[in-house]
């Protein structure tokens, strides 16, 4: 079993849809959870991160962590074609500085 | 731009060649990283440098040799690579090791023939 599982997609949605991107993990020591966005021919850029369980909102983006289920989500409201990218989840344990990444989910928002 | 530059952006090399990848960060960060990104695989951390000192070598084959002459520059020297080493090589930096936000460069697309 991989430490972090993420469906590679692609996930295709119409403009304006609510998008849900998810990762599951097996390591209960993970405490920090990050979401990166990667456009084609670019490096990943951090969207947001959360510590432990709970929700965090930033504009149209909401990150959610459920440590009891070992499940994290990123919701994108009112999705735009400019949101088309690959979304990578990453996580690390509190005592480690090494993040473990998921494979990334390719999102396509069509007009 | 993220403040992290990488050269070259594309590289094609034979298995017997020797080449180097360069990374420079203009953010005043203390930690720098090399990652490998292969198709349909998770991002793999290769090396970590903190204040020019290597703090992590994630079981990387010796045909990859990193060099960090100062906190702003990072190199990855390549020799006798294999076709399966073809991938996108990403450099990243963060203020310190352990920061949740890493700033990535655009990567070098490497093809080994």
């Amino acid at each position: 079993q991989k430490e972090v599982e993420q469906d590679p997609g692609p996930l295709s949605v119409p403009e304006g849809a609510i998008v849900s991107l998810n990762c599951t993990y097996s390591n209960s020591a993970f405490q920090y959870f990050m979401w990166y966005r990667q456009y084609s021919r670019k490096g990943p850029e951090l969207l947001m991160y959360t510590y432990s369980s709970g929700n965090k909102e930033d504009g149209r983006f909401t990150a959610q962590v459920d440590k009891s289920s070992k499940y994290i989500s990123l919701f994108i409201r009112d999705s735009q074609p400019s949101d088309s990218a690959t979304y990578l989840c990453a996580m690390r344990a509190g005592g480690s500085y090494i993040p473990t990444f998921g494979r990334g989910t390719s999102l396509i928002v069509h007009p | 731009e993220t403040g992290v530059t990488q050269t070259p952006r594309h590289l094609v090399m034979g298995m017997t060649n020797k080449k180097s990848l360069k990374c420079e960060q203009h953010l005043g960060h203390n930690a720098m990283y090399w990652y490998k990104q292969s198709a349909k695989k998770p991002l793999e951390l290769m090396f970590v440098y903190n204040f020019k000192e290597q703090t992590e070598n994630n079981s990387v084959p010796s045909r990859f040799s990193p060099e960090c002459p100062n906190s702003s520059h990072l190199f990855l020297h390549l020799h006798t690579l294999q076709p399966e080493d073809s991938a996108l090589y990403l450099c990243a930096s963060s203020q310190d090791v352990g920061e949740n936000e890493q700033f990535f460069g655009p990567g070098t697309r490497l093809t080994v023939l």
Side-chain angles (χ1 to χ4, degrees):
Chain A
Q1 182 188 13
K2 295 188 177 71
E3 269 199 302
V4 178
E5 298 275 5
Q6 186 175 13
D7 187 335
L11 176 62
S12 182
V13 301
E15 183 175 355
I18 296 175
V19 175
S20 173
L21 303 166
N22 312 294
C23 289
T24 58
Y25 62 95
S26 57
N27 188 346
S28 57
F30 287 146
Q31 290 185 287
Y32 296 91
F33 303 92
M34 291 76 79
W35 284 98
Y36 281 84
R37 178 176 61 197
Q38 185 174 19
Y39 290 115
S40 180
R41 298 188 187 87
K42 301 272 190 179
E45 57 175 332
L46 183 71
L47 279 175
M48 52 202 309
Y49 71 87
T50 53
Y51 171 71
S52 195
S53 284
N55 292 2
K56 187 173 183 178
E57 189 174 318
D58 184 0
R60 297 185 295 113
F61 298 88
T62 299
Q64 198 169 75
V65 174
D66 182 350
K67 290 193 74 181
S68 62
S69 302
K70 297 190 178 67
Y71 187 89
I72 69 170
S73 301
L74 178 71
F75 297 97
I76 307 175
R77 289 184 298 281
D78 187 26
S79 56
Q80 303 295 309
S82 57
D83 294 326
S84 298
T86 296
Y87 290 80
L88 307 167
C89 65
M91 44 199 82
R92 69 177 180 89
S96 169
Y97 53 77
I98 299 174
T100 300
F101 282 82
R103 288 192 292 170
T105 298
S106 174
L107 172 66
I108 301 168
V109 182
H110 51 87
Chain B
E1 299 301 324
T2 63
V4 180
T5 57
Q6 290 187 245
T7 53
R9 293 293 307 274
H10 300 272
L11 179 62
V12 179
M13 59 187 289
M15 289 192 285
T16 57
N17 291 160
K18 289 184 181 181
K19 296 286 184 184
S20 296
L21 310 184
K22 180 183 175 182
C23 175
E24 184 174 0
Q25 57 98 356
H26 310 272
L27 302 168
H29 288 167
N30 300 315
M32 295 188 77
Y33 312 79
W34 279 117
Y35 286 90
K36 176 183 179 182
Q37 189 173 39
S38 306
K40 304 195 188 307
K41 286 188 175 181
L43 212 56
E44 299 173 53
L45 180 66
M46 299 175 73
F47 301 103
V48 181
Y49 278 83
N50 188 36
F51 289 101
K52 305 187 303 176
E53 299 299 319
Q54 188 180 127
T55 59
E56 188 72 27
N57 174 338
N58 201 19
S59 303
V60 180
S62 59
R63 57 186 184 268
F64 295 91
S65 174
E67 179 190 0
C68 188
N70 54 61
S71 292
S72 300
H73 293 85
L74 188 62
F75 295 88
L76 188 62
H77 304 299
L78 316 170
H79 65 97
T80 58
L81 294 192
Q82 305 298 310
E84 59 264 30
D85 297 321
S86 299
L88 182 68
Y89 288 84
L90 290 160
C91 173
S93 72
S94 63
Q95 186 61 56
D96 294 295
V97 290
E99 294 284 341
N100 288 316
E101 184 168 21
Q102 295 184 12
F103 294 78
F104 285 83
T108 294
R109 174 67 62 186
L110 174 67
T111 303
V112 181
L113 301 176

